Amino acid sequence: MTEPEDGPPTNLAAEPTGSGPDIDPDLDPDAATGPVEAGPGDGETEAEPEDFEGPRRRARRERAERRAAQARARAIEQARREAKRRATGQVPTEPKPVARGVVRGLRMLLATIGLAVLGVVLGLILYFTPAMSARDIIVVGTGAVTREEVLEAAQVRPGTPLLQINTSEVADRVAAIRKVASARVQRQYPSALRITIVERVPLVVKDFADGPHLFDRDGVDFATEPPPPAVPYLDVDNPGPDDPATLAALKVLTTLRPEVASQVGRIAAPSVSSITLTLSDGRVVIWGTTDRAEEKAEKLAALLTQPGHTYDVSTPDLPTVK
């Protein structure tokens, strides 16, 4: 064995032998620090690091980045629009939330519309079908006027739907009867029509060539027939509802007390200022004008209790008896 000239003796047995490759400590740090010990999982695939990004995670990240970029773009665009509005003097208004009262009002409006539509449909059914028709016609208030006269004037065909009957027109036709003062027509659901009339009452009578004519309190000549008992005769030139003398005489009769009016046999009115009454026993009452009629009627009722032939109440302050 030959020893080297310098340095410590070299142990040749310590040098690696065999066919394995030489390991450079500068290229393999693990080789420089010594052999690596095998762990408990030696021989298995090493676990992925925590920051390992698979395809799914990468796709989620990319989607999140795109959404964030879109949100930033929208924010930038909104800021640009608001800046433009401020520059032009337009103040953006935020939409106000719908009030609860508005929602309630809308619901009520829809409900009202629904009820209106339902009412229209029901009305059409009742108007065009005999579900509610005039199967019975009731006439009330007849006396001198017969039921047949009223039905003939009404011209309502039995079975006509009640909604098709014009009650005003029917009332006008019935009121055209001479002895009828007024008429009222009412629908009585489900199947009746009620006609109520008010007959004219004779207040005075005047003789004409064709016979006695009866006049009511309005001066209407409504009948030509013998008068009922205790109806006074009217003595005017042109009796009628438009004659001032006739209206003045009728006003006097309607103002008298009932016990005095029943004694009047004739009333004469040559003019509106010279009205006289002739009682059934022959006594005469000078009435004068229609002024202070109520006061004159009260004074006359008191004067008639006194004996006399002529009673003058034309001046109610100084009534006289002769």
Side-chain angles (χ1 to χ4, degrees):
M1 173 180 288
T2 306
E3 296 181 0
E5 295 180 356
D6 296 321
T10 301
N11 187 1
L12 300 176
E15 293 181 0
T17 58
S19 59
D22 295 335
I23 301 174
D24 190 351
D26 295 333
L27 300 177
D28 191 356
D30 293 336
T33 58
V36 179
E37 297 181 357
D42 192 14
E44 300 179 359
T45 304
E46 294 183 359
E48 296 181 354
E50 294 181 358
D51 59 349
F52 176 78
E53 185 178 40
R56 294 183 180 178
R57 181 178 297 179
R58 184 185 306 109
R60 288 195 298 270
R61 178 178 57 78
E62 290 176 353
R63 287 196 298 269
E65 290 176 353
R66 285 196 298 270
R67 287 194 293 269
Q70 293 173 357
R72 287 195 298 272
R74 286 194 295 269
I76 294 172
E77 179 65 19
Q78 183 67 22
R80 185 185 66 80
R81 292 180 180 178
E82 291 181 359
K84 184 177 179 180
R85 292 192 188 99
R86 296 192 191 96
T88 57
Q90 299 178 355
V91 180
T93 57
E94 298 181 356
K96 297 182 179 180
V98 180
R100 183 178 301 176
V102 175
V103 177
R104 186 182 300 110
L106 182 59
R107 291 178 179 174
M108 293 181 63
L109 177 61
L110 294 177
T112 302
I113 293 174
L115 292 176
V117 172
L118 180 61
V120 170
V121 173
L122 182 60
L124 291 176
I125 293 175
L126 297 179
Y127 187 86
F128 290 104
T129 64
M132 292 186 179
S133 59
R135 291 188 288 270
D136 187 17
I137 300 179
I138 304 170
V139 180
V140 180
T142 56
V145 180
T146 64
R147 171 185 169 85
E148 288 70 22
E149 290 179 295
V150 174
L151 295 179
E152 183 179 357
Q155 300 178 11
V156 176
R157 181 172 53 86
T160 303
L162 291 176
L163 292 180
Q164 294 186 17
I165 300 175
N166 190 324
T167 56
S168 297
E169 292 182 357
V170 174
D172 291 340
R173 290 195 293 267
V174 174
I177 300 174
R178 288 184 64 188
K179 293 184 178 181
V180 175
S182 63
R184 183 182 182 186
V185 180
Q186 298 170 288
R187 301 183 187 92
Q188 289 189 342
Y189 297 99
S191 60
L193 187 71
R194 183 184 181 92
I195 302 176
T196 304
I197 67 171
V198 176
E199 295 184 347
R200 297 186 184 275
V201 178
L203 188 62
V204 293
V205 60
K206 182 173 177 61
D207 289 328
F208 285 89
D210 59 346
H213 287 218
L214 302 181
F215 294 82
D216 66 357
R217 62 185 302 153
D218 296 322
V220 177
D221 181 359
F222 66 91
T224 302
E225 58 186 35
V231 173
Y233 280 84
L234 176 65
D235 188 4
V236 295
D237 294 334
N238 299 302
D242 298 326
D243 179 47
T246 301
L247 297 179
L250 296 176
K251 180 179 179 181
V252 171
L253 287 177
T254 55
T255 306
L256 295 175
R257 300 284 181 87
E259 64 274 13
V260 176
S262 61
Q263 302 180 44
V264 178
R266 181 180 296 270
I267 180 168
S271 67
V272 295
S273 60
S274 58
I275 302 172
T276 59
L277 308 174
T278 302
L279 304 184
S280 55
D281 58 5
R283 291 181 294 177
V284 178
V285 177
I286 301 175
W287 189 273
T289 66
T290 56
D291 296 338
R292 303 171 66 179
E294 295 288 344
E295 188 176 354
K296 290 179 180 181
E298 184 177 356
K299 294 294 179 64
L300 179 60
L303 287 178
L304 290 177
T305 60
Q306 302 177 18
H309 181 267
T310 303
Y311 301 83
D312 190 350
V313 291
S314 58
T315 304
D317 294 331
L318 297 172
T320 62
V321 179
K322 295 180 181 179

